């Protein structure tokens, strides 16, 4: 593999104008395609095969008016008045008349005749049923809904929205997190390289990759449903991986130039050696993300494939565009900045790093880890296990209005409904008969459901010759475990309910759908974990041609992800971070554990490859197991530290948003990367390898005959080129 990568890097160097032109053309075409398509993301979660999805499908065929999106409009009277007073009521009636004329609106309930006024008379709840699914409700229609309630607002009535679709429901991506992350990444790169050109190059290539990825996802959103979180995850990984992959190759190239190597050969060799580790690392991330498809959840499959595409583009840019830009830059990447306070400092640090001096911080740290191996290993594992303890209390759920910030209209609507009607009115259930029944039977069904434990109210909602629907309001909120118990209880006692109405019934609605999604995701976790662990074993066995290294890596990965789960539960579910992050404690997002398993696995494999490949290379040359651990860790510490800090910073930057889902994702990724890089890969892994010694590289005799050697370190390439390796180069 290293030989092919060497040829690719040298070709990109020689044809740099062509390569640059191709990538710029790809970016322009992606922007044009995204603009022309008009694609937009949405947060409608569906899972084929669940009862709630069967309910939705049935309604689409038999009663389309109730199968579309739904908006709850909450009208709250001014202080000291009631919503039934003549002034507020006239304003609400005028607003309702205008809402009925909004495009795509199918039905509008009248709160004054449909029991939609709260017992205290202060709030009216209006249900707006759309004739289209949430993703198909046009922004123009939502804008018209906002305009329609103007009479109520002019009369001093507070108007808020919630439901499956409402004005402002689509997440508008903010450029602030990306900007903050890029600024921090540039500062870290400037410290690492000490040169402006070298620091800016990975940033430029990462930005181009994100533009191509984001525009591609936007174009696809015009033909398939893509969750807004998919865009965020793709941007996170596109930026972080793009910068990191460029960093690894550029670090190798810059050090080779400082050692006197000719520019073209240095670029080719950097791609052939460090690029091999980058390819392997990227493939592990891509395969893990694509592995999310095995759980059979459409929106999660799309999320994984979108993120995998962003990583693949980052990889292609690192292997082609970066060598081309290095050709344009020449020796300018070794022009160091100099300050009056510390003149020549950055150049001295770079040359010391290139010469692999034992005085570097990485060398001192590796000596400490190897010397205190048992203490370091025990302390690191104990810390990770302690952080993982809160994960035992993890509760899964999908975001509801209760998790939104108080400035959000959905949160304000949720609070008004909970305070004046009861929390269950935020997430009513739908009990649907699978064929038509007489009106008296529907009334009997509603009366029977109203007597069930945990039900606040039940009433017929709609009927036709093919279907009858009863609206059931729980006593508890949509994300309360008691509501899930109610849904499961109704389904478990389905026979008794069907005996009352004389027809088969289904339990559905948005709340039931969210419960089904969370259950399906929880059931998929063990399957996906088995896939990820099996994949890790195969890939790392192939990379290092030994059995013990993959086992050690898998244990480290499990410790990292468990600790990240624990930190997330403590901060976001228990509420330890409510004041720090400005969030409301709520359940762990159902899909977060799955994407964390995929991404932390991929990134942990990155750092495992970058650290252990240096240790293996040294051991092959010296046959000194403990010394190889010490020297290999020292050689990889600086670049792995920079790479991990860049990823950590980019993930943390995404916490500077108002959306609690994005905050939870950013926090979880940041903690996972930080712990895996610094506690596991640069601390526990070297300590364990020092304890085990040469036995860590054991493999059966038949192993070498049947397991191919991908040569990710590029040792054979260096032998072909006559380049010394082992202890004198600065490979990643």
């Amino acid at each position: 593999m290293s030989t092919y990568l060497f040829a690719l890097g040298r070709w990109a160097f020689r044809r740099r104008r062509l390569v640059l032109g191709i990538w710029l053309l790809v970016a322009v075409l992606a922007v044009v395609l995204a603009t022309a398509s008009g694609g937009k993301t949405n947060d409608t979660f569906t899972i084929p095969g669940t009862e709630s999805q069967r309910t939705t499908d049935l309604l689409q065929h038999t009663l389309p008016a109730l199968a579309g999106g739904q908006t709850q409009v909450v009208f709250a009277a001014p202080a000291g008045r009631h919503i039934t007073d003549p002034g507020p009521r006239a304003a609400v009636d005028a607003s309702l008349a205008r809402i009925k004329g909004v495009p795509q609106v199918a039905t509008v309930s009248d709160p004054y005749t449909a029991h939609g006024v709260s017992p205290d008379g202060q709030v009216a709840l209006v249900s707006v049923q759309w004739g289209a699914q949430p993703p198909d409700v046009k922004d123009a229609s939502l804008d018209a809904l906002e305009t329609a309630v103007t009479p109520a607002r002019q009369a001093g009535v507070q108007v808020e929205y919630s439901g499956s679709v409402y004005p402002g429901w689509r997440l508008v991506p903010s450029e602030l997190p990306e900007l903050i992350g890029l600024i921090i990444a540039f500062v870290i790169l400037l410290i690492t390289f000490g040169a402006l050109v070298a620091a800016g190059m990975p940033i430029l290539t990462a930005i181009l990759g994100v533009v191509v990825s984001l525009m591609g996802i936007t174009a696809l959103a015009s033909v398939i449903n893509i969750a807004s979180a998919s865009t965020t995850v793709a941007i996170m990984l596109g930026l972080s991986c793009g910068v990191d992959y460029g960093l690894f190759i550029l670090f190798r190239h810059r050090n080779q130039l400082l050692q006197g190597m000719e520019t073209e050969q240095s670029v080719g060799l950097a791609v052939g050696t460090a690029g091999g580790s980058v390819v392997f690392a990227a493939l592990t991330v891509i395969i893990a993300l694509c592995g999310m498809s095995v759980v059979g959840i459409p929106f999660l499959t799309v999320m994984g494939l979108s993120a995998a595409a962003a990583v693949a583009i980052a990889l292609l840019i690192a292997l082609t565009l970066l060598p081309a830009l290095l050709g344009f830059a020449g020796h300018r990447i070794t022009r160091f900045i100099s300050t009056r306070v510390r003149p020549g400092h950055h150049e001295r640090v770079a040359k010391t790093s290139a010469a692999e001096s034992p005085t570097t911080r990485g060398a001192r740290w590796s000596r400490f880890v190897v010397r205190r191996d048992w203490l370091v290993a025990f302390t690191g594992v104990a810390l990770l296990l302690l952080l993982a303890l809160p994960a035992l209390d993890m509760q899964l759920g999908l975001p509801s209005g209760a998790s939104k910030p108080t400035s959000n209209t959905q949160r304000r609507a949720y609070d008004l409904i909970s305070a004046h009607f009861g929390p269950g009115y935020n997430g009513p259930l739908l009990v649907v008969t699978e064929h038509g029944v007489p009106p008296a039977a529907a009334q009997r069904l509603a009366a029977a459901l109203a007597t069930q434990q945990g039900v606040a109210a039940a009433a017929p909602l709609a009927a036709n010759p093919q279907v009858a629907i009863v609206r059931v309001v729980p006593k508890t909120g949509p994300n309360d475990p008691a509501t899930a118990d109610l849904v499961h209880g109704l389904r478990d006692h389905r026979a008794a309910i069907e005996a009352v109405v004389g027809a088969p019934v289904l339990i559905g609605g948005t709340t039931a759908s969210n419960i089904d999604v969370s259950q399906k995701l929880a059931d998929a976790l063990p399957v996906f974990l088995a896939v990820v662990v099996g994949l890790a074993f195969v890939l790392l066995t192939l990379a290092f041609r030994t059995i013990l290294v993959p086992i050690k890596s898998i244990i480290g990965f499990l410790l990292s992800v468990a600790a990240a789960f624990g930190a997330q539960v403590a901060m976001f579910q228990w509420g330890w971070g409510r004041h720090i992050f400005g969030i409301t404690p709520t359940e762990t997002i159902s899909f977060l554990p799955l994407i964390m398993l995929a991404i932390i696995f991929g990134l942990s494999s990155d750092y495992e490859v970058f650290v252990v490949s240096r240790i293996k290379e040294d051991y092959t040359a010296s046959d000194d197991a403990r010394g190889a651990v010490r020297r290999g860790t020292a050689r990889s510490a600086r670049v792995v530290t920079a790479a991990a800090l860049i990823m950590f910073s980019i993930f943390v930057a995404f916490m500077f948003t108002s959306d609690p889902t994005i905050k939870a994702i950013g926090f979880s990724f940041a903690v996972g990367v930080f712990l895996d890089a610094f506690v596991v890969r640069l601390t526990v892994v070297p300590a364990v390898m020092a304890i085990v010694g040469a036995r860590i590289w054991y493999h059966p005799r038949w192993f070498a005959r049947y397991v191919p050697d991908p040569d990710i370190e590029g040792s054979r390439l260096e032998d072909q080129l006559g380049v010394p390796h082992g202890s004198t180069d600065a490979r990643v």
Side-chain angles (χ1 to χ4, degrees), residues 400-476:
S400 69
S403 64
K404 299 291 184 180
T406 54
S407 59
N408 184 276
T409 185
Q410 187 183 14
R411 170 63 182 276
R412 292 196 294 264
Y414 186 97
D415 291 342
L416 285 170
I417 293 171
S418 297
H420 296 277
F421 288 91
Y425 281 82
N426 284 293
L429 307 175
L430 297 180
V431 178
V432 182
T433 64
E434 294 193 55
H435 59 70
V437 296
Q443 290 288 353
R444 289 197 306 271
L445 175 61
L449 291 170
T451 63
Q452 298 291 317
Q453 185 177 1
V455 173
L461 180 63
N464 66 15
Q466 296 174 293
V467 69
I469 305 171
V470 173
R471 182 172 179 263
V472 178
V473 179
K475 291 181 179 179
T476 49

Side-chain angles (χ1 to χ4, degrees), residues 330-518:
H331 281 271
R332 284 192 291 273
I333 65 169
T334 58
R335 292 180 183 174
F336 300 96
I337 58 175
S338 183
T339 62
R340 293 181 179 180
V341 178
R342 306 180 74 179
H345 169 73
H346 295 290
E347 184 173 1
R348 287 194 302 272
V349 170
K351 291 182 177 179
T352 299
S353 175
E356 298 185 356
S357 169
T359 62
T360 63
R361 291 187 178 90
R364 290 196 292 269
W365 174 252
S366 65
R367 287 197 298 271
F368 168 77
V369 169
V370 173
R371 187 169 58 249
R372 307 292 186 193
D373 46 10
W374 280 101
L375 175 63
V376 168
F378 176 81
T379 303
V381 171
L383 173 63
L384 293 170
L385 290 175
L386 180 64
L387 290 173
L389 287 178
L392 297 174
D393 189 41
M394 181 183 292
Q395 298 175 5
L396 300 180
L398 286 175
S400 69
S403 64
K404 299 291 184 180
T406 54
S407 59
N408 184 276
T409 185
Q410 187 183 14
R411 170 63 182 276
R412 292 196 294 264
Y414 186 97
D415 291 342
L416 285 170
I417 293 171
S418 297
H420 296 277
F421 288 91
Y425 281 82
N426 284 293
L429 307 175
L430 297 180
V431 178
V432 182
T433 64
E434 294 193 55
H435 59 70
V437 296
Q443 290 288 353
R444 289 197 306 271
L445 175 61
L449 291 170
T451 63
Q452 298 291 317
Q453 185 177 1
V455 173
L461 180 63
N464 66 15
Q466 296 174 293
V467 69
I469 305 171
V470 173
R471 182 172 179 263
V472 178
V473 179
K475 291 181 179 179
T476 49
N479 284 4
D480 194 301
T483 303
D485 292 340
L486 172 62
V487 171
H488 296 316
L490 292 175
R491 290 172 176 172
D492 292 341
H493 297 87
R494 190 190 312 271
I497 297 173
E498 292 175 343
V500 171
V501 72
V505 299
L506 295 173
I507 315 298
T510 301
T511 297
S513 177
N514 289 346
I515 292 170
D516 288 345
V517 169
S518 298

Side-chain angles (χ1 to χ4, degrees), residues 538-621:
V538 172
L539 291 177
L540 293 174
T541 299
L542 177 65
F544 297 112
R545 299 169 60 76
T546 178
I547 296 175
L548 296 181
V549 168
I551 293 174
K552 166 194 59 66
S553 177
I554 289 169
I555 294 173
F557 153 67
L558 293 175
L559 287 172
S560 298
V561 78
F565 283 160
Q568 195 278 334
V569 169
M571 289 295 179
F572 286 83
Q573 185 177 306
W574 290 359
W576 290 6
R578 63 162 61 89
H579 300 301
I580 301 173
F581 305 131
I583 51 96
T584 300
T586 187
E587 296 84 355
T588 297
I589 305 165
S590 299
F591 56 80
L592 182 57
L594 277 169
I595 60 175
M596 281 180 65
L597 284 173
I599 291 171
I600 295 179
F601 159 68
L603 299 181
S604 69
S605 298
D606 286 4
Y607 302 133
E608 179 78 6
V609 170
F610 297 135
V611 174
V612 177
S613 62
R614 292 311 309 269
I615 297 174
K616 179 188 176 185
E617 176 191 11
D618 192 293
Y619 175 72
T620 302

